[in-house]
Amino acid sequence: MKRLAVFFPGVGYHVDKPLLYYSRKLAEQYGYETADVTYGGFGKGIRGSAEKMEKAFFSALEQAEKILEQVDFQKYDDVIFISKSVGTAVASAYAGKHGMKTRNIYYTPVEASFRFMKQPGIVFTGTKDAWVEFEAVKRGCEEGGYPLYVTEDANHSLETGNVAKDLENLQEIMRVTEEYIGS
């Protein structure tokens, strides 16, 4: 069985940060080949600006198209998209545009992501995320039928500022992530 995990980072949250770094390790542990969608060139002041967020989304989607154009998704039996922040919208829009069937791990989706999220997956968010209101994520998950994993007092990186607590939370997030990858 051939498997592929594709990583869609956020604006400032790259693939070498904890959520995506350890997710990659887990995917590799389960025999997945991996591919990164490493986009960039976003302007400043995106948070709080719907216009700048939309511009960043379309730029990231265009870059994803170029980065993934050589990937033959048809040769894989299982494709999982692991995405963070605006990457959740990009991954979802990409899969929809190409009529793909993917499984998804959505880390801290922004509110606009739920317009594109049509594929099965699980969602992680924090209750103190400055990029999106918790109730909007909760509502999006309820409407889309997505299991929601909430980290109390956590920000957009799913961190609280307390290192010991963050490590404990990361361990639980990766436990759930591993369970999903391995299912």
Side-chain angles (χ1 to χ4, degrees), residues 10 12-13 46 78 80 86 102-103 106 111 115 123 131 134 160 165 177-178:
Y13 199 97
I46 295 172
D78 182 24
I80 188 166
V86 72
T102 61
R103 296 189 306 133
Y106 301 109
E111 189 171 357
R115 291 188 303 202
V123 175
W131 284 74
F134 173 71
T160 65
K165 185 66 178 166
T177 296
E178 179 177 13

Side-chain angles (χ1 to χ4, degrees), residues 62-80:
E62 182 179 318
Q63 291 176 65
E65 290 286 346
K66 289 178 183 158
I67 292 166
L68 296 174
E69 68 185 356
Q70 300 302 318
V71 178
D72 180 7
F73 288 101
Q74 298 301 316
K75 74 178 191 178
Y76 295 98
D77 302 302
D78 182 24
V79 176
I80 188 166

Side-chain angles (χ1 to χ4, degrees), residues 3-19:
R3 300 173 171 174
L4 177 67
V6 183
F7 293 82
F8 294 82
V11 169
Y13 199 97
H14 308 289
V15 295
D16 59 345
K17 298 245 181 165
L19 296 170

Side-chain angles (χ1 to χ4, degrees), residues 59-170:
S59 172
L61 183 57
E62 182 179 318
Q63 291 176 65
E65 290 286 346
K66 289 178 183 158
I67 292 166
L68 296 174
E69 68 185 356
Q70 300 302 318
V71 178
D72 180 7
F73 288 101
Q74 298 301 316
K75 74 178 191 178
Y76 295 98
D77 302 302
D78 182 24
V79 176
I80 188 166
F81 283 177
I82 301 175
S83 55
K84 171 77 174 79
S85 186
V86 72
T88 62
V90 175
S92 298
Y94 183 89
K97 179 178 180 182
H98 294 278
M100 298 176 66
K101 181 172 174 32
T102 61
R103 296 189 306 133
N104 292 268
I105 298 172
Y106 301 109
Y107 291 120
T108 66
V110 294
E111 189 171 357
S113 298
F114 290 98
R115 291 188 303 202
F116 303 102
M117 290 168 57
K118 306 295 181 214
Q119 305 285 330
I122 58 175
V123 175
F124 293 87
T125 197
T127 58
K128 293 190 177 175
D129 188 333
W131 284 74
V132 62
E133 289 187 22
F134 173 71
E135 289 302 319
V137 174
K138 186 176 171 185
R139 184 174 48 256
C141 287
E142 288 170 356
E143 291 171 0
Y146 295 103
L148 175 61
Y149 297 90
V150 179
T151 303
E152 292 296 324
D153 299 321
N155 63 18
H156 198 58
S157 297
L158 295 179
E159 296 176 345
T160 65
N162 177 316
V163 175
K165 185 66 178 166
D166 290 344
L167 291 172
E168 182 182 310
N169 289 340
L170 182 61

